[in-house]
Amino acid sequence: MPSYESSDGSALHYDDVRLKDSDGDKCPVILIAGGAARHPSYLGDLAGLSDRHRLIVPHLRGVGRTAAPDQEELGSFWTQADDIEHLRVHLGLDRVVLMAHSAGTRLALAYAAQFTLSVARLVLITPPAAYLVDEPSDAQTLSEKRRGDSIFEAAFAALEAGPQTVDDDGFNAWRQESAPAGYANWGATERSHATIGRWSLPATKAYFSVAPPRDLAARLGQVKAPVLVIAGAEDCLTGLAPVAALARLFPTGECVVIEGSGHYPWIEQPAAFRGTIDAFLEQPSKSAATRG
């Protein structure tokens, strides 16, 4: 597994996913997993995205092959932005196409705020947005549509109750118990996907150990690169309204809603998801940003 050195001398690992003989080097994508601190294997290759793009998938601090840092704050999403910048330099990229899912979007946004001119394009997949926007969440309204579904109600009750133990096994068991809440449907495909990718509880705690600056939303308004926000029309975890509002923070932000999808649109609606991603990555850049 390839690795690179961080500013504190740690070895940080990543997966390099590409089809043999593909033109993936033409537009590599750095792909950040959510969770927080979930093993990135649950991302797969995002509905076959590696058939067109080389995917660079970091193992974040304390996840997968990358060891936990000696200092907890080095594992925070705000501080790990510096790790992504070191990865950009390691890969020899002038600017990066950055794509992230769920809690991973916190790291992507931290990077965009701190290394604005290094961003070529930004894709945020079902991002939590309540910490950045004033738009009230409609997650409860979306959840009400599934009342009467015993599997969903049990999952949502588990989600609201939180984990009952403080060890890794108990935390992962709770994640499995609450998993149906993240999907619009709970069929064989969704059930199988939910079992992929273990969470690290210590890395989760470290991820949130440093609060972002209060002016983060304002700083995102300086990001000139094209930004795509993808929302699931039935995402009961993030809601829909705050996710759409997040796109409006960016000068060139746009939001696309994937119908019939919850928190994992590449699993539930792969064709619609890929169509959206491909159109965005292949469109001519409208960004006026240049590296100085």
Side-chain angles (χ1 to χ4, degrees):
M1 173 179 285
S3 65
Y4 65 102
E5 188 173 295
S6 67
S7 58
D8 68 332
S10 298
L12 305 179
H13 297 268
Y14 62 93
D15 297 320
D16 192 341
V17 183
R18 50 182 159 176
L19 288 180
K20 187 177 180 179
D21 299 326
S22 74
D23 61 353
D25 284 332
K26 188 168 61 178
C27 183
V29 173
I30 296 179
L31 175 59
I32 302 175
R38 185 175 181 180
H39 192 285
S41 54
Y42 83 96
L43 294 169
D45 67 352
L46 286 193
L49 191 61
S50 64
D51 64 4
R52 293 193 183 185
H53 302 277
R54 178 186 179 192
L55 303 181
I56 305 296
V57 189
H59 287 211
L60 302 184
R61 302 258 188 165
V63 177
R65 293 290 302 277
T66 297
D70 293 333
Q71 298 176 307
E72 187 179 58
E73 59 267 25
L74 291 178
S76 74
F77 69 84
W78 184 256
T79 307
Q80 286 192 83
D82 187 62
D83 293 342
I84 301 300
E85 176 63 1
H86 276 71
L87 177 57
R88 178 191 68 80
V89 174
H90 166 77
L91 294 171
L93 301 175
D94 183 46
R95 293 190 296 163
V96 296
V97 176
L98 198 57
M99 189 177 300
H101 172 245
S102 189
T105 64
R106 291 177 181 264
L107 173 51
L109 292 173
Y111 182 83
Q114 295 176 67
F115 301 97
T116 306
L117 295 181
S118 293
V119 179
R121 292 181 189 271
L122 184 61
V123 180
L124 307 172
I125 305 166
T126 59
Y131 71 108
L132 285 172
V133 301
D134 295 328
E135 187 74 28
S137 177
D138 52 354
Q140 187 64 34
T141 301
L142 295 176
S143 299
E144 289 294 333
K145 297 179 181 179
R146 295 186 61 184
R147 293 300 176 189
D149 179 334
S150 60
I151 293 176
F152 173 78
E153 289 194 351
F156 208 74
L159 197 63
E160 291 179 331
Q164 302 302 302
T165 60
V166 292
D167 62 12
D168 245 20
D169 286 342
F171 186 68
N172 277 272
W174 168 69
R175 286 292 191 179
Q176 291 302 314
E177 187 180 4
S178 60
Y183 300 86
N185 298 285
W186 190 237
T189 298
E190 290 80 11
R191 292 195 301 270
S192 177
H193 177 254
T195 65
I196 302 172
R198 184 176 174 86
W199 284 260
S200 168
L201 180 56
T204 299
K205 293 178 178 178
Y207 197 74
F208 295 103
S209 63
V210 174
R214 293 182 178 181
D215 66 344
L216 176 56
R219 291 169 70 169
L220 295 177
Q222 303 303 310
V223 176
K224 306 300 184 184
V227 178
L228 171 65
V229 178
I230 297 179
E234 300 176 47
D235 190 341
C236 296
L237 300 184
T238 64
L240 180 56
V243 177
L246 178 63
R248 296 194 288 270
L249 293 181
F250 301 95
T252 57
E254 62 174 305
C255 179
V256 174
V257 179
I258 306 295
E259 298 295 332
S261 174
H263 203 55
Y264 304 94
W266 70 95
I267 296 298
E268 296 195 275
Q269 299 295 336
F273 175 82
R274 271 301 302 275
T276 298
I277 291 287
D278 290 345
F280 177 74
L281 293 181
E282 293 169 11
Q283 70 185 11
S285 176
K286 299 177 182 178
S287 172
T290 58
R291 292 189 60 81

